[in-house]
Each structure stands twice: as C-alpha cells, then as structure tokens.
Amino acid sequence: MKIGFIGLGNMGAPMALNLLKAGHELKVFDLNGRAVQLLVDAGAKGAASPRALASDVELVITMLPAAAHVRGVLTGSEGVFSGIGDGVTIVDSSTIDPASVREFAALATEHKCVLVDAPVSGGTGGASAGTLTFMVGGSEEAYARVKPVLSTMGRNIVHCGDTGTGQVAKICNNLVLGITMAGVAEAMALGDALGIDAKVLGGIMNTSTGRSWSSDTYNPFPGVIDTAPSSRGYTGGFGTDLMLKDLGLATEAAKSAKQPVFMGALAQQLYQAMSSRGDGKLDFSAVIRLYQQGEIA
Ligand code: NAD
C-alpha cells in the first residue's frame, strides 16, 4: 500500500519502520530533518510538506504530540486536507481529546475523505516490537479498511465504536494508569519507611490483591523490577509531561460530561508538582520521589 506517515518521534519512527519492513511504500514528513533522514535511509521517501505527502497515497497516518499539531498538519495552507485525494483514509494515532477528533473527522468528510482515531498503548517498546494496542474509533467499514495496516504495527486492533471512542478508551486507560502509579508509589515508599525490603514488598504485592501493571511491570521503586525505568534513573519510559497531558485530557473530558474524577484530579496535581520542579522529562514513575523523605516538593 502507498502510505504517508507524519510525526516520526519516539513512537512514530519505530511504527513507520515496521510499515517499511512489512513492504509498504512509505512517504514521510516531520519538522525534524534528522528524524526524516532516519526513515529515508531505511527506504522511505521524504515529502516537502503534509500537502505533498497526501497527494498520491492511499492512507495517511499522523503520530503527533497534541491536538494543536494535528490541527496544523491537517488544516494548514500546506496541510493534508489541501492535497488529499477523494476517499483516502486518515488514521490519527496521537493521543488527543475526543471533541477535536470529531471536529477533524467532520472536516475530513467535507474534503471527501475519512478520518479515524486510533491512539495506541504499549509505549516505545511496543512500537519497536510491533505489539501495540490500537483503539480505533470510526465506522465498521473504515475499521475494516485500516485493520490490516495497523496489524503490521500492533497486536491488538480493537474497534471501540464511533469516531472519538478510541480516544475515550485511551484517556480512561491512562486515567487508571496515572492513579495506580501514584498508589503503588505511595505504598512502596511507606513500606520502605516502615522497614520492609522493597523487593519483598513488591513480590508480595505482585502475588496479592494490590497487583497492577504499575507494580509488576513498572514498579516505581528502584531495583524491584530490573527492566523498569525506575531501575535506570527514570529514563526512557513514558514522560511525566505526557502523563500530565493525558490526565488533563481526562479531567477536561470529564468536565464536559459533568462527571467527577476525584482520584484523577489528585494524580494530575502530583504529576504537575513533578513537572513544576523540572522533572517533566523523567518517567512518570518518578512520582515516588514526592513520597521519599527529604524529596517532598
Ligand atoms: P515525540 O514528541 O517523540 O514525537 C512527535 C514528533 O512529531 C516529533 O518528531 C516532532 O518533530 C513531530 N512534529 C511536531 N509537530 C509537527 C508538525 N507540525 N509537523 C510535522 N511533525 C511534527 O512524541 P511521541 O512520544 O512519539 O508521542 C506521539 C503521540 O503518541 C503523543 O500524542 C503521545 O501522547 C502518544 N503516545 C506516546 C507514548 C510513549 O510512550 N511515548 C505511548 C502511547 C501514546
């Protein structure tokens, strides 16, 4: 298939490489020339603008930081909508708010194309390994069209419902993640302060009712899980600022639905405190530092 890919960052670059590996013909665009060069070296063609990229492809994929970037890339004077052919599908895999997705999908319809939301879970490791979960929002027909392509980058391709529901799933999942990480951090720091060995406590938790992904895969206490970011100085994981963005999306969406998010709002403030003191680039599990003696902001 002829595919255009925009946004070659921590997630987008390995996803695009997997499309090349699967034999797709790829055109790429990013503001970062080095990111483009990496993909060109691997066999992709660089495009001069989103408009040029969209002009002769069958599918466009965007993987950008936030809704403002997606808006610019789609609707700008050199944007995707200004160059795209009739009937082409756009897959936006960025994590953004459901209301923006619905607006972009309506604009896509005006330009005689189709936009589906397909945010992902699985992190940079999942992006490289091609094992991401895609949460797809759109019609049955659009889902059936994009599923084979998404399957070359992911293992679970789930149809969540109409446009925007992929983002709803993603936001709700990360709401739980942000809360459970803060909860595990609180308990691990307390156990440590009360004198139990962190590895023993982590082991008990992971075979007991306190178990979660935050405790058994990403435990925030250094040395409990060797492959977790906490065991390598909180580097190379899911940045605090990205978690903060996702909790912001959850609290904003909750406001529009007149729905309380007590725990999410508190967790948001914890990650905000981390970001404010300059730890926004650290993995979000570094939230445990807020609980450790002498580390309180
Ligand atoms: P990133 O910041 O590493 O990459 C974003 C890329 O977009 C960069 O290469 C940047 O140059 C490019 N870009 C920005 N504005 C652009 C524009 N106007 N035109 C062209 N390119 C532009 O971000 P990431 O970690 O790859 O995350 C991308 C999205 O995926 C975010 O919405 C994030 O929340 C989501 N996500 C990230 C992870 C993770 O673990 N990193 C996991 C799941 C979902």
Side-chain angles (χ1 to χ4, degrees):
M1 214 174 173
K2 282 182 160 183
I3 301 174
F5 202 109
I6 304 177
L8 306 167
N10 290 335
M11 295 294 287
M15 290 165 70
L17 284 171
N18 280 332
L19 289 174
L20 278 176
K21 267 187 223 149
H24 294 292
E25 207 179 302
L26 205 62
K27 269 166 89 177
V28 294
F29 178 78
D30 195 294
L31 297 178
N32 178 347
R34 270 187 300 150
V36 171
Q37 193 55 48
L38 187 125
L39 265 294
V40 169
D41 290 346
K45 238 192 248 166
S49 65
R51 176 195 174 110
L53 174 138
S55 65
D56 63 343
V57 294
E58 298 157 86
L59 186 79
V60 174
I61 301 174
T62 49
M63 190 54 168
L64 296 157
H69 307 86
V70 181
R71 182 184 300 279
V73 158
L74 293 179
T75 66
S77 59
E78 286 296 307
V80 168
F81 287 149
S82 67
I84 201 160
D86 290 359
V88 173
T89 304
I90 303 167
V91 175
D92 180 34
S93 283
S94 328
T95 303
I96 66 172
D97 60 291
S100 292
V101 170
R102 290 177 182 132
E103 184 198 334
F104 299 153
L107 289 173
T109 306
E110 283 174 23
H111 287 88
K112 299 193 176 58
C113 54
V114 177
L115 183 141
V116 302
D117 49 313
V120 302
S121 166
T124 49
S128 300
T131 56
L132 293 170
T133 292
F134 281 87
M135 299 159 244
V136 186
S139 68
E140 283 284 356
E141 197 196 350
Y143 169 69
R145 216 165 34 240
V146 300
K147 191 178 175 193
V149 176
L150 300 187
S151 299
T152 64
M153 300 180 285
R155 197 158 46 193
N156 302 310
I157 321 299
V158 184
H159 188 208
C160 300
D162 289 341
T163 309
T165 54
Q167 296 293 356
V168 172
K170 172 71 187 172
I171 286 171
C172 292
N173 180 71
N174 279 23
L175 176 63
V176 179
L177 178 61
I179 294 167
T180 57
M181 183 55 80
V184 172
E186 191 164 298
M188 291 299 301
L190 176 63
D192 180 52
L194 295 176
I196 189 172
D197 180 82
K199 250 190 157 150
V200 173
L201 177 58
I204 295 288
M205 222 179 248
N206 292 335
T207 51
S208 303
T209 45
R211 182 179 155 270
S212 66
W213 187 87
S214 297
S215 70
D216 74 1
T217 306
Y218 237 61
N219 199 295
F221 202 98
V224 173
I225 304 287
D226 290 342
T227 50
S230 57
S231 296
R232 51 170 190 267
Y234 302 98
T235 58
F238 182 47
T240 295
D241 282 341
L242 282 179
M243 173 51 85
L244 188 55
K245 179 195 79 165
D246 290 0
L247 288 174
L249 293 176
T251 50
E252 279 303 308
K255 204 191 292 172
S256 70
K258 297 194 170 24
Q259 188 66 22
V261 279
F262 305 116
M263 308 296 288
L266 183 53
Q268 186 182 7
Q269 292 307 308
L270 292 173
Y271 298 109
Q272 179 65 66
M274 286 175 68
S275 188
S276 301
R277 66 183 206 165
D279 287 343
K281 297 281 175 269
L282 291 183
D283 182 77
F284 76 116
S285 62
V287 69
I288 196 169
R289 290 185 173 176
L290 294 182
Y291 292 97
Q292 289 168 326
Q293 254 185 352
E295 283 278 352
I296 292 163

